[in-house]
Amino acid sequence: MTTGFRILERQRKVADDVVQQFSAIPVANISDSMSRMTAGGARLRPLHRGGKLAGAAITVKSRPGDNLMVHKALDMAEPGDIVVVDAGGDLSNAIIGELMVAHAIQRRLGGIVINGAVRDLDAIQSGTFPVFAAGVTHRGPYKDGPGEINVPIAIDGMVIEPGDLVVGDSDGLLCVAYGDIAAVYAAAKAKNDAEAEQMAAIVAGRNDRSWVEASLTKLGCEFVPAKAYG
């Protein structure tokens, strides 16, 4: 097996019902439920018109500026899958464009994430197919390899393994490890439910703000009247 130029078979993936469950929860609440320790970096932004990204990852590690393995991953991916590409974060050459997005849509994939650049931004922005990327350039890609498919990758310290859950919305992108799915979902749903109750209290004008004064007192914050320094 040639390290750096190989295609592996994915061994497991999150179930469709799990994807649907997480789709109903904002990424921020999922992140809070993971101790705010995991993130794909502020550069990865949604470029499509709007809509949630959620699905099982098929991972690609490509040479910066080269999309040969991305083409292969699009052909391998199953409906609903998210093709997640670590192209080194380089923005010199676009890894995908309008034609590859159209191919992904035709194959009913769930979205594409590029740690690198894309092009044909007008076409991407006019559609709802989820595309996250670090930047945009008109310069096209090369197709020479090398690269790897279905190997662990990392984007700004966020490790993504094949079959992990990937979720994204306007706040950014997040990966939930396959083995952590049940625990993270339970915590995220509880937080989401609690926030819904808090929002209802705010709208009704009965939101309890006593915690602010309690926290300031506990931390030793001093209140200084104006006459003491005026």
Side-chain angles (χ1 to χ4, degrees):
M1 184 162 48
T2 305
T3 300
F5 201 17
R6 57 185 175 175
I7 299 171
L8 279 64
E9 184 176 358
R10 187 170 55 184
Q11 298 181 9
R12 82 287 193 273
K13 61 180 284 189
V14 294
D16 290 342
D17 61 332
V18 169
V19 173
Q20 294 304 315
Q21 289 173 339
F22 274 89
S23 294
I25 301 178
V27 168
N29 286 349
I30 302 171
S31 177
D32 285 354
S33 301
M34 298 173 68
S35 300
R36 302 166 184 162
M37 290 293 290
T38 301
R43 290 205 310 160
L44 284 180
R45 302 302 306 156
L47 301 182
H48 54 292
R49 189 168 74 232
K52 191 78 169 278
L53 175 147
I58 177 169
T59 61
V60 182
K61 188 169 186 176
S62 69
R63 179 171 65 87
D66 191 285
N67 73 357
L68 176 61
M69 287 305 213
V70 182
H71 277 280
K72 178 60 177 177
L74 290 177
D75 291 342
M76 291 174 57
E78 300 171 349
D81 280 351
I82 310 297
V83 176
V84 186
V85 183
D86 178 17
D90 182 78
L91 305 182
S92 300
N93 297 82
I95 298 299
I96 67 165
E98 179 181 11
L99 295 178
M100 294 178 74
V101 168
H103 180 54
I105 293 171
Q106 192 275 332
R107 301 205 67 247
R108 296 185 293 119
L109 305 190
I112 301 175
V113 177
I114 304 291
N115 184 25
V118 303
R119 66 178 180 177
D120 302 326
L121 182 61
D122 287 345
I124 293 172
Q125 286 184 326
S126 68
T128 58
F129 181 79
V131 176
F132 281 67
V136 179
T137 180
H138 55 80
R139 294 176 59 181
Y142 302 99
K143 295 175 173 60
D144 305 308
E148 298 180 299
I149 297 176
N150 284 329
V151 297
I153 61 175
I155 300 176
D156 272 15
M158 181 176 72
V159 177
I160 306 167
E161 298 201 38
D164 283 351
L165 175 69
V166 179
V167 290
D169 60 19
S170 296
D171 286 336
L173 192 79
L174 185 64
C175 175
V176 183
Y178 183 88
D180 295 337
I181 288 291
V184 171
Y185 177 71
K189 186 178 186 304
K191 179 170 180 58
N192 202 53
D193 291 346
E195 285 202 356
E197 292 180 5
Q198 185 178 3
M199 181 61 75
I202 292 172
V203 173
R206 52 179 176 78
N207 189 35
D208 181 8
R209 303 289 296 169
S210 61
W211 69 269
V212 178
E213 290 295 331
S215 294
L216 292 172
T217 300
K218 180 180 178 181
L219 294 169
C221 180
E222 180 182 5
F223 177 77
V224 183
K227 64 182 180 180
Y229 61 88

